[in-house]
Amino acid sequence: QVQLVQSGAEVKKPGASVRVSCKTSGYTFTSYYLHWVRQAPGQGLEWMGLINPSSGDTFLSRKFQGGVTITRDTSTSTVHLELRSLRSDDTAVYYCSREGGTPGTPLRWFDPWGQGTLVTVSS
Amino acid sequence: DIQMTQSPSSLSASVGDRVTITCRASQSVNTYLNWYQQKPGKVPEVLIYSASSLQSGVPSRFSGSGSGTDFTLTISSLQPEDFATYHCQQSYKTPFTFGQGTKLE
C-alpha cells in the first residue's frame, strides 16, 4: 500500500536550519506530486509548497519563498523539506502528502499523509 | 490568496444529530473544494473531494455540496467516532488554502 514515512522530531535553536524527510513507497514515485503542509500547535493547516518528483520542479507559497527548499531523491523515492533561519513561530508539525486526482488540474486533494514531524524551535 | 472561512469554529452536538459545517471562499473556487477530518493527535484524512465526491471508504453519512464560494459538509447522523476537527481546503489556485477548522465536540 501507499506509505509516506517521515523523519523524526527535531529541536532547533532560532536561526538554525532543519531538514525533514518523507520516504515514499507502494507506488511510482515520479507519477504524483508531493506537498508539504504544516500545523502550528492548536492551529489550522497551512499549505507550504509542492514538488513534481518527475522533473524536480517546485512551487512554494509566497510566504515561504526564500526560507524553504523542497527537493527530491528519485533513487530513494524521498522528498526533503529544508527550513532555514528558523523562528519560534516555525514550531509546528510538518506533514508531507501525496496528491490525488488529475495531475496538472485543480482536481486535486491530499491523500495519503505522512505521520507528521514535529519541529520545535526554542532557545 | 483565496481566504477560506469556516463556520462555526466549534460545534457542540450529540450522537445521532444531523450536523452541517459551512465553508466560504473569498472568491470562486468552482467545485475545487475538499474536506478533511482530523482526530486529536492524528493525521488529516480526506472525506470529500471536488465539493461532493465521497472518498473511497468514507461512510455515506458524510456528504458535501456547493460550488463557487459557498460549501457545506453534512453528517447525517453523528457517530461517536465523528467527533473531530474538520478542515476545508481549496485546490483551485495556489496557495492551496485551508479554512481555520471546525471542532466538533
Side-chain angles (χ1 to χ4, degrees):
Chain A
Q1 75 279 24
V2 177
Q3 284 193 302
L4 281 63
V5 179
Q6 298 183 219
S7 50
E10 302 267 8
V11 179
K12 296 291 182 181
K13 294 192 183 303
S17 297
V18 69
R19 190 172 85 156
V20 179
S21 299
C22 172
K23 183 170 176 59
T24 72
S25 62
Y27 72 99
T28 302
F29 177 66
T30 52
S31 294
Y32 297 84
Y33 288 12
L34 283 153
H35 298 252
W36 287 95
V37 176
R38 76 177 184 180
Q39 186 171 36
Q43 302 301 308
L45 300 165
E46 183 174 31
W47 182 81
M48 301 178 68
L50 65 84
I51 186 166
N52 177 345
S54 179
S55 65
D57 291 341
T58 61
F59 188 94
L60 292 171
S61 172
R62 198 164 38 241
K63 174 177 179 176
F64 297 103
Q65 290 174 7
V68 170
T69 302
I70 301 175
T71 57
R72 95 306 191 199
D73 181 344
T74 56
S75 68
T76 60
S77 300
T78 301
V79 295
H80 305 282
L81 174 73
E82 182 184 22
L83 303 165
R84 298 178 294 278
S85 302
L86 288 166
R87 306 180 342 173
S88 58
D89 60 1
D90 290 317
T91 294
V93 175
Y94 290 79
Y95 295 103
C96 62
S97 181
R98 194 189 78 168
E99 183 176 295
T102 304
T105 77
L107 181 61
R108 63 179 85 197
W109 56 91
F110 303 146
D111 178 64
W113 297 57
Q115 83 276 20
T117 297
L118 175 61
V119 175
T120 303
V121 183
S122 173
S123 55
Chain B
D1 297 359
I2 299 175
Q3 306 303 316
M4 307 301 294
T5 304
Q6 289 180 233
S7 60
S9 296
S10 63
L11 177 59
S12 183
S14 301
V15 172
D17 285 352
R18 181 181 181 88
V19 169
T20 297
I21 299 169
T22 296
C23 179
R24 175 163 288 175
S26 60
Q27 64 185 82
S28 175
V29 297
N30 200 311
T31 58
Y32 300 114
L33 189 286
N34 308 312
W35 289 97
Y36 300 85
Q37 177 192 66
Q38 186 178 27
K39 297 180 180 178
K42 300 296 186 183
V43 173
E45 296 183 349
V46 64
L47 297 174
I48 303 283
Y49 61 90
S50 191
S52 61
S53 296
L54 197 66
Q55 174 71 337
S56 175
V58 174
S60 59
R61 63 181 179 272
F62 291 93
S63 64
S65 65
S67 66
T69 60
D70 294 307
F71 301 87
T72 59
L73 172 69
T74 299
I75 309 172
S76 61
S77 179
L78 201 60
Q79 297 303 300
E81 60 269 29
D82 299 337
F83 290 93
T85 298
Y86 294 85
H87 307 272
C88 65
Q89 175 246 331
Q90 63 83 17
S91 59
Y92 184 60
K93 281 186 184 178
T94 55
F96 299 130
T97 41
F98 290 84
Q100 80 279 15
T102 295
K103 186 174 183 179
L104 187 50
E105 48 194 7

